[in-house]
Amino acid sequence: MFTGIIEELGTVDSLGLGADPARLRIRSPRVLEGIALGDSIAVNGCCLTVSAHEGELWSADVITTTLAATTLGELAPGDRVNLERCVRADGRLDGHIVQGHVDGVGEITGREEAGGTTLLRLELAEGLARYVVTKGSLAVDGISLTVAAIDGDEVTLGLIPETLERTTLGRRGLGDRVNLEVDVLAKHLEKLTSHLTPAPVGTESDR
């Protein structure tokens, strides 16, 4: 479990796509503090398991289905990635509940400055708009963000300078693809209420 508050910008050392699973190696001194083999680290919003680490380098295996569902397969040596260790039970939940399970890939369709805030527009992956509401939470490349507006399948997000400086969104531009995770509570609510249907007019529930 994560919070969407990025701890460090790591640097991709290598991505070996020739085998299944692929091997992703990342250089990041800070997030390795207190990390052991088998621990979880979110990479651009994808929960990965640490399979090896030495010094400032660590590795994770990425299976084919994860590569197909996320942007991890597009990474290249030197790329920066958002990193977050799993949240401790006694820590602050500063962002929102993020599982690290990517629901789809979106595309940046607009970016403009407005009074010290950067407005970022995203085209959501198909089927995700029903889980997103104005002033609700959306994880974009693992970053917990608040939705400023939604219009069909497009959302607008307001980014403060701190977010731009500490995450990869400061380097993102039109056409770039990002990993998206919607609020898991919305998905649970949809499933729990999917069997409910309005009672016919004139039944006991209407009296």
Side-chain angles (χ1 to χ4, degrees):
M1 195 71 67
F2 307 92
T3 69
I5 305 300
I6 304 305
E7 296 185 277
E8 182 181 7
L9 277 173
T11 303
V12 174
D13 182 75
S14 63
L15 175 61
L17 294 173
D20 186 14
R23 175 61 63 91
L24 176 63
R25 298 183 73 209
I26 294 173
R27 185 177 300 277
S28 55
R30 181 178 178 186
V31 297
L32 290 180
E33 295 177 5
I35 287 293
L37 297 182
D39 286 351
S40 297
I41 297 177
V43 180
N44 281 355
C46 307
C47 179
L48 299 180
T49 300
V50 177
S51 58
H53 67 84
E54 182 178 359
E56 296 183 352
L57 279 172
W58 61 278
S59 302
D61 295 328
V62 188
I63 61 176
T64 301
T65 53
T66 300
L67 292 174
T70 73
T71 62
L72 292 186
E74 302 170 12
L75 294 174
D79 284 349
R80 306 303 298 276
V81 287
N82 299 317
L83 302 175
E84 182 191 353
R85 289 169 292 188
C86 55
V87 66
R88 291 169 53 100
D90 61 351
R92 291 190 177 96
L93 186 61
D94 290 334
H96 73 283
I97 296 174
V98 178
Q99 294 184 295
H101 302 159
V102 174
D103 292 304
V105 175
E107 181 177 322
I108 296 176
T109 57
R111 185 179 181 123
E112 61 183 87
E113 304 299 321
T117 299
T118 297
L119 297 179
L120 193 71
R121 291 193 302 278
L122 293 176
E123 184 76 20
L124 298 174
E126 184 177 357
L128 295 188
R130 67 180 184 270
Y131 303 114
V132 182
V133 296
T134 302
K135 297 185 180 179
S137 296
L138 179 67
V140 179
D141 271 353
I143 308 161
S144 176
L145 297 173
T146 300
V147 177
I150 181 167
D151 181 12
D153 287 330
E154 189 173 79
V155 297
T156 300
L157 307 162
L159 308 179
I160 62 174
E162 180 75 5
T163 301
L164 296 173
E165 181 179 349
R166 293 173 58 90
T167 74
T168 57
L169 289 185
R171 302 164 174 81
R172 294 293 195 179
L174 297 183
D176 284 350
R177 287 157 37 91
V178 290
N179 296 317
L180 303 175
E181 181 185 333
V182 298
D183 193 337
V184 66
L185 297 179
K187 292 189 290 184
H188 279 306
L189 182 62
E190 179 183 62
K191 183 174 182 180
L192 287 169
T193 59
S194 61
H195 68 287
L196 301 178
T197 55
V201 175
T203 61
E204 288 296 325
S205 62
D206 295 318
R207 296 171 188 168

